[in-house]
Amino acid sequence: MATLENTADEGVSAEGGGVRRRDFINIAAVSFAGVGGVVAVLPLVNQMNPSADVLAMASSEVDLSGIKPGQAIKTTFRSQPLFVRHLTPEEIAKADATDAATLRDPQTLADRVVDGKTQWLVTMGVCTHLGCVPLGAGEGENKGEFGGYFCPCHGSHYDTAGRIRKGPAPKNLEVPPYTFTSDTAILVG
Amino acid sequence: MSFPWANEYTPKAPLMQWIDARLPLPRFVYNAVGAGYPVPRNLNFFWNFGVLSGLALMIQIVTGIVMAMHYGANELVAFGTVEHVMRDVNGGWLMRYAHANGASFFFIVVYLHIFRGLYYSSYKAPREMVWLLGLVIFLLMMATAFMGYVLPWGQMSYWGAKVITGLFGAIPVVGEPIQTWLLGGFAPGNAALNRFFSLHYLLPFVIAGVIILHIWALHIPGSSNPTGVEVKGPQDTVPFHPYYTAKDGFGAGIFFILLAIAVYFGPNFLGHPDNYIEANPLSTPAHIVPEWYFWPFYAILRAFTFDFFFIPAKLLGVLAMFASILLLFFLPWLDNSPVRSGNYRPMFKKFFWILIADVLVLGYCGGAPAEEPFVMISQVASAYYFAHFLIILPLIAAFEKPLPLPGSITEAVLAKHGQAAE
């Protein structure tokens, strides 16, 4: 090797510390191929990200007038289930009686509802563990040990404010952004 | 390994001589599974399951390609096209039941194959690479089976897809972008179904490729055997063909009889009835469970209901579940006992059977609802599972006094049959 390199001494630059033009060409060529490779791989990976039609955001209008105290409805928001629950005074009292500081994800009921509309609990129906739809919104479904929701997949229990109380889920049921458009209607999203 | 006493491939027919001089493919086959490959003479029926695994993969590929000719990977029609296969396609019901039950049988033979390796310590030097490649195949199998189960787009399909991709969502910071990337959306939908179909088609061929490496790695040292004593001379081996081709053929016959019984008389016994309900993104079935072959891992995932320092329960469960398999990659270095076969390891043998019982208990808990006492039992059983590999095995290796090993394979065989060794 050494003898070969010595014969190529027209490529050795005086001040480059023995770095030849050929080394530069080598690095440039490999870098070029590397960048080209990354540029080729990026779209191959990115094609799996949500497509434009999936990203087309939707907002959902929900009419609350038919929901009696103690009832809940399931509807959809961005193709995922949304729970709207009309809390009874007892359920509100039960949620307020819990010391929020002792919870895994500390939040009071007031943090999770709109001021003056404490009876309307609007949450995503997506368990924060691995994404199943908890039971408890439908008539006669298992509401779990804390009277809210129970996830059948891995046994997470949520209370009447949709807060995680027991099981593997790390967070409270997510409250999506929504506004009251009238006393009996909300716009989610 | 080609032992020096292996038969030489000598083609007699002029055509075979012509081929052998140009592309020695027949020679390669002869030396791999023909009379040119000597194998220990004392292999028992637990050495049948490698060939049966390969057979199960072939059944899956053939029935799968056939069904892909009639299946539509679109959320609007997927469920309907599977019913179309069942009702309209000629013999479609047979193809589908053979494919679905074939997956279960694939896992049955692979689990027996793995436990054979655990008992006889087939993972020990010089066969570590065989073991590691086998685990890669196992992980690929699970990914493939998962994506296949999504395709009918029933309730279990949909919610299985949501939960399994949710496992990646537990990774800190990058988890949710990864989950969204896997699904191509925020919940399983057409994008997810489409790509799972594409990947479910691809992965079996990747598995086939890794199997070639698995067999290649095996053929360097050759098969282990029930004594764990290495081959010492020609008297310890017999040629693979016809001795083990015949024995494997017998095993394949039994396998096909059992598979036929399942396919014809109990095709839905191993499945879940909820997957005959079309996917409903608004309702998780109350009795959701994964396929039976995932139950032990599912039980480990569910056992972690508590936070541990800064690690939330969700991440902990996911880590534990993956760790329960990744741990096995380190097994050749966790078990340092110089003795291979469990037959000569009195302490190891006892704990091996406790491990088997533990895995069965985990499996049972994984199939049971997430309630007490099952949560508590899976917590204890998960702890034992990890303790077996991380604590008990190294301790046994240090303290156990193994029984005397036979001088050779032949000596063991002759002793078993009441004759004096030469």
Side-chain angles (χ1 to χ4, degrees), chain B residues 357-374:
Chain B
D358 185 64
V359 171
L360 292 175
V361 167
L362 277 172
Y364 183 81
C365 289
E371 293 162 4
E372 295 299 350
F374 302 115

Side-chain angles (χ1 to χ4, degrees), chain A residues 45 48 80 128-129 133 153, chain B residues 159 162 181 195 284 298 314:
Chain A
V45 171
M48 278 174 68
Q80 300 212 69
T128 55
H129 183 222
V133 181
C153 286
Chain B
W159 292 101
K162 181 121 195 201
W181 177 74
R195 67 190 54 183
T284 307
Y298 193 62
K314 177 178 172 178

Side-chain angles (χ1 to χ4, degrees), chain B residues 48-62:
Chain B
N48 274 51
F49 293 100
V51 163
L52 293 183
S53 307
L55 189 64
L57 177 70
M58 287 306 133
I59 294 172
Q60 293 307 90
I61 289 180
V62 171

Side-chain angles (χ1 to χ4, degrees), chain B residues 188-200:
Chain B
N190 210 33
L193 180 57
N194 253 281
R195 67 190 54 183
F196 284 6
F197 179 56
S198 180
L199 295 173
H200 184 66

Side-chain angles (χ1 to χ4, degrees), chain A residues 14-25:
Chain A
E15 55 277 62
V19 176
R20 298 167 304 161
R21 248 199 296 190
R22 190 174 293 178
D23 293 329
F24 173 78
I25 292 170

Side-chain angles (χ1 to χ4, degrees), chain A residues 45-51 54-55 74-76 79-81 104 126 128-133 135 152-155 167-168 170, chain B residues 159 162-163 166-167 177 180-182 184-187 195 281-286 288 298 301-302 304-305 307 312-314 370:
Chain A
V45 171
N46 193 38
Q47 53 84 18
M48 278 174 68
N49 273 320
S51 52
V54 172
L55 284 177
K74 267 191 228 181
T75 176
T76 51
S79 72
Q80 300 212 69
R104 181 178 294 168
V126 181
T128 55
H129 183 222
L130 296 172
C132 293
V133 181
L135 301 172
C153 286
H154 308 88
Chain B
W159 292 101
K162 181 121 195 201
V163 168
L167 297 180
T180 307
W181 177 74
L182 286 171
F186 305 104
R195 67 190 54 183
L282 290 192
S283 168
T284 307
I288 180 171
Y298 193 62
L301 170 76
R302 284 202 302 200
F304 290 83
T305 54
D307 296 350
K314 177 178 172 178

